[in-house]
Amino acid sequence: MDYISARSKKIDASGIRKIWELAQKMKDPVDFSIGSPDFDAPAEVKQAAIDAISGGSNGYTLTAGIAALREKIASDITAEFGWEKPLAMVTCGVSGALHLAFMATLNPGDEVLVPDPYFVMYHHLTNLSGGTCVYVDTYPDFHLSAEKVAEKITSKTKMLVLNSPGNPTGAIYTEQQLKDLADLARKHELLVISDEIYKEFSYDRASGSIASYYENTIVMRGMSKAYGIPGWRMGYMALPNHLEELFERMAALQQYTFVCAPQPFQLATIKALDHDCSDQVDIYRKKRDLVYEGLKGEFDLVKPEGAFYAFVPTPNDDATEFVTRAIANDVLVIPGKVFSSRDTHFRISYATSEEKIKVGCERLCKIAREY
Ligand code: PLP
């Protein structure tokens, strides 16, 4: 008897697991692999969670989240996009929001447009839902033009996934690109998922949202990255009021999966949303500059504009081979094929100390010179 469902076999975690296994043999690695901030949560945010737990706020909440937090999210979204009475749902991270949205919208055969390189979860959630990922190549600068997307639209296309600032590329789409994508989405009545989890990490200009130009958008934002609390599993999504039926479907799915986001952390998130992250962003801008300056002599990389990743072309167009050499030199990076149909680049997460960044970049440059 095979206890494993065909559905779950569609998820292939072997690429990342292989890197992880190699990492176990490393002595004092420069770890450029983890997509998790290297700073702790702000003191007042931690205190709000402690107070909530001590004060007995430890039960379930309503499926969509506590009213005070949902109202705050909704009023911020109205102020930003002009949406009247938007629908806000508190979720277990952006991962939770993505899960609900993909499950609630996709039928077998539906096509999902995903810019390549992409955050791996989009690929797996589409597969789990029975949909088909259609990739839109964004090499070499990782920006997304409406023309490229238009070429991939068929009668089966239902959804367009945007992630700006992006993982693994650090690219931020321009306002003009967002407007053009909005026009295209409107023409084809696409549902847009806008994953804005790295919104705060925008180094040279504010990062815009397609939601400013197109209403059939689910805006997803999270607390994991900007507030240093990935273990709290806090995120949210906001939808325009006319997508109420979809909202109700997603709420029903949340009721029978995650149930609700953790109550003490929902309460602390109210505090977090008022916290100014600009000091952390300044520190990360400096890290971004260190990575770019440290690598540009040997690698032909695009300067990342946001998030905390650089997606760097290898000198030999074979990222798996390059990454094996990097790991042999105690630098942990991820080969491009984990995030892409190509294996020509590697991902650096620079959410680590400046010292490690300098050492890691020197080692990578030394390897590049050996080719
Ligand atoms: N979206 C992107 C682009 C990410 O990089 C991540 C995490 O790395 C997530 C969503 C999920 O974040 P979380 O579930 O912690 O909110």
Side-chain angles (χ1 to χ4, degrees), residues 35 93-95 98 119 122 163 167 195 197-198 224-225 233 309:
V94 171
S95 306
L98 287 166
F119 174 53
Y122 309 143
N163 171 217
N167 174 8
D195 178 345
I197 191 165
Y198 296 101
S224 295
K225 315 290 178 180
R233 311 305 311 124
Y309 308 103

Side-chain angles (χ1 to χ4, degrees), residues 42-56:
E44 80 268 17
V45 177
K46 289 198 282 193
Q47 194 56 49
I50 292 164
D51 291 348
I53 292 169
S54 308

Side-chain angles (χ1 to χ4, degrees), residues 131-316:
T132 306
C133 262
V134 176
Y135 297 110
V136 186
D137 187 308
T138 66
Y139 292 86
D141 67 355
F142 313 121
H143 277 248
L144 187 67
S145 70
E147 292 80 47
K148 276 189 182 176
V149 178
E151 283 168 19
K152 301 280 181 167
I153 292 180
T154 72
S155 57
K156 293 180 184 161
T157 310
K158 191 176 223 175
M159 189 195 272
L160 168 65
V161 181
L162 301 182
N163 171 217
S164 171
N167 174 8
T169 64
I172 297 182
Y173 302 151
T174 64
E175 290 301 316
Q176 190 56 53
Q177 285 164 340
L178 292 170
K179 280 183 199 163
D180 294 346
L181 289 164
D183 289 344
L184 185 72
R186 188 172 298 109
K187 186 170 160 202
H188 296 276
E189 289 181 66
L190 303 181
L191 179 68
V192 175
I193 304 271
S194 185
D195 178 345
E196 301 174 9
I197 191 165
Y198 296 101
K199 184 174 177 55
E200 292 81 1
F201 296 89
S202 308
Y203 304 125
D204 307 315
R205 60 192 158 83
S207 141
S209 171
I210 193 170
S212 301
Y213 311 110
Y214 183 56
E215 280 217 336
N216 287 355
T217 298
I218 307 182
V219 176
M220 298 187 180
R221 293 183 181 164
M223 311 299 130
S224 295
K225 315 290 178 180
Y227 305 101
I229 47 175
W232 288 14
R233 311 305 311 124
M234 288 299 309
Y236 66 84
M237 58 181 155
L239 288 72
N241 200 276
H242 66 270
L243 294 181
E244 192 178 357
E245 190 184 347
L246 174 55
F247 181 86
E248 292 304 333
R249 296 285 163 196
M250 292 193 289
L253 274 172
Q254 172 138 287
Q255 191 175 343
Y256 294 111
T257 50
F258 307 101
V259 180
C260 63
Q263 177 168 183
F265 300 142
Q266 289 196 47
L267 290 164
T269 292
I270 299 176
K271 196 87 186 163
L273 288 175
D274 284 334
H275 179 81
D276 177 5
C277 314
S278 50
D279 286 352
Q280 280 306 342
V281 173
D282 290 344
I283 292 171
Y284 270 60
R285 182 182 297 104
K286 207 169 158 211
K287 292 182 199 281
R288 184 274 310 257
D289 292 343
L290 271 179
V291 168
Y292 180 65
E293 295 301 324
L295 294 181
K296 72 173 192 206
E298 298 296 335
F299 296 90
D300 188 18
L301 80 162
V302 179
K303 189 172 187 179
E305 303 162 285
F308 34 74
Y309 308 103
F311 206 56
V312 186
T314 53
N316 60 338

